[in-house]
Amino acid sequence: MPRRTLALVVAAGSTLAACGSSSSGTTADGSSSGDGGPLQVVASFYPLQYAVEQVGGDAVSVTNLTKPGAEPHDLELNPRDVAAVVDADLVVYLSGFQPAVDESVAGEAADRAFDVAPSARLDLTGVDEEGHGGDGAAADGHAGDQVADPHFWLDPTRLADVGDAVAEKLAAVDPGQAGTFRANAAAFRHELEALDAELSAGLGSCANTEIVTSHEAFGYLAQRYGLTQVGITGLNPEAEPDAATIAEVADFVTEHGVATIYYETLVSPAVAETVAAETGAETAVLDPIEGISAASAAQDYVGVMRANLAALRAGQPCS
């Protein structure tokens, strides 16, 4: 995973912040906070942006550090991104997922940051870089570094819990809007619980519960809905499997009658297509919803989750 040197970016960001802010609370883009305008909130990637927007409503203005269609794992911050962090009333992020964000928060916004990890209950692990582990059943037996699986939002009930926590954090920042934030969070939870019921019903009777994915992004979805995930690579979507791994996953596909290999919109389908070609399986898109783009099946979280449900019902298949 590419890393960056923060010093130059921080220096440039601080310069932008100095030029774009004042004691009255005016931010770098000319908007205001703390004077009756919306809270300026920075979210580190799309699912957190979505949660903050749903909970905050018109009382917040949200900037997403991860641009549409970009891979969030490898995010690097430019000076404008750092300036947004500096000027934010609140930064909402997931520790351990995006090292560049962790660094910027520690250096620029430690007193104005909210880490959603505790609310998300990251109780699954997976293998970083190569190999398999954690909830992604070890089809190939390779070893690797076990780390927390960050992809909690693919379980809607966990995203609802994060929404409740975001509401309380926003209420602490702007007590005058506390009632609105809590009401919005309740409505958000209701919508996500309805989605959860839809997924439970749709995936309750599948001919095959083994899902083979290009990388292990779907552990929380699998856990919630009675599926078993087997990733061709581990938690790092950029990892390259060796020939032995591909052969072992192909054997697993054949032995378990897996009909569909799932790949993602933000990652090359080449690995999934290789396994499919060797086994006669089909390929289909299963979206980890790390970033919404023009290539996504829908333009919001709920829509893409429903597209994932349709893909799984066809690929497993489910009655």
Side-chain angles (χ1 to χ4, degrees):
M1 180 179 295
R3 303 298 298 271
R4 63 192 178 86
T5 301
L6 186 62
L8 180 60
V9 176
V10 168
S14 298
T15 299
L16 283 174
C19 293
S21 63
S22 70
S23 59
S24 65
T26 303
T27 62
D29 63 2
S31 60
S32 61
S33 60
D35 59 358
L39 293 177
Q40 301 301 308
V41 182
V42 167
S44 62
F45 63 105
Y46 173 73
L48 299 186
Q49 174 195 355
Y50 183 73
V52 174
E53 288 175 340
Q54 298 305 302
V55 172
D58 293 338
V60 302
S61 175
V62 185
T63 298
N64 184 356
L65 293 178
T66 305
K67 303 303 182 284
E71 171 53 61
H73 296 76
D74 294 334
L75 177 67
E76 296 191 22
L77 302 185
N78 62 36
R80 187 171 296 278
D81 296 329
V82 176
V85 171
V86 169
D87 287 339
D89 295 304
L90 183 66
V91 179
V92 180
Y93 75 112
L94 177 64
S95 62
F97 183 51
Q98 296 170 292
V101 176
D102 290 353
E103 287 187 50
S104 186
V105 163
E108 305 296 333
D111 60 337
R112 293 170 289 105
F114 178 54
D115 178 8
V116 304
S119 305
R121 295 174 287 114
L122 303 182
D123 52 15
L124 294 181
T125 61
V127 173
D128 193 19
E129 295 303 326
E130 60 186 14
H132 302 267
D135 187 71
D140 56 43
H142 285 192
D145 294 332
Q146 291 285 335
V147 297
D149 181 347
H151 304 91
F152 72 88
W153 57 90
L154 291 165
D155 173 352
T157 66
R158 293 175 189 256
L159 188 58
D161 290 345
V162 167
D164 290 341
V166 166
E168 295 307 311
K169 190 65 179 179
L170 289 172
V173 177
D174 187 355
Q177 295 283 356
T180 297
F181 296 143
R182 289 167 181 149
N184 288 348
F188 186 45
R189 173 173 287 279
H190 180 75
E191 180 181 35
L192 293 179
E193 287 178 345
L195 176 63
D196 175 58
E198 191 176 334
L199 287 158
S200 294
L203 300 174
S205 300
C206 298
N208 193 325
T209 59
E210 313 281 352
I211 61 168
V212 176
T213 62
S214 58
H215 96 284
E216 292 179 346
F218 300 93
Y220 291 102
L221 184 150
Q223 180 193 63
R224 181 70 184 172
Y225 303 111
L227 305 172
T228 299
Q229 175 190 222
V230 174
I232 302 172
T233 63
L235 291 174
N236 183 353
E238 304 299 328
E240 294 288 340
D242 58 23
T245 297
I246 291 176
E248 288 167 0
V249 174
D251 288 344
F252 181 92
V253 167
T254 300
E255 292 168 7
H256 291 80
V258 173
T260 305
I261 313 299
Y262 299 99
Y263 66 94
E264 304 165 20
T265 54
L266 301 182
V267 179
S268 169
V271 171
E273 289 172 346
T274 297
V275 174
E278 292 187 8
T279 60
E282 301 293 326
T283 59
V285 172
L286 198 59
D287 195 329
I289 324 184
E290 294 174 352
I292 296 290
S293 72
S296 301
Q299 291 304 299
D300 69 4
Y301 170 85
V302 172
V304 178
M305 284 294 284
R306 287 185 171 137
N308 282 343
L309 172 59
L312 287 167
R313 283 183 54 79
Q316 290 315 108
C318 309
S319 59

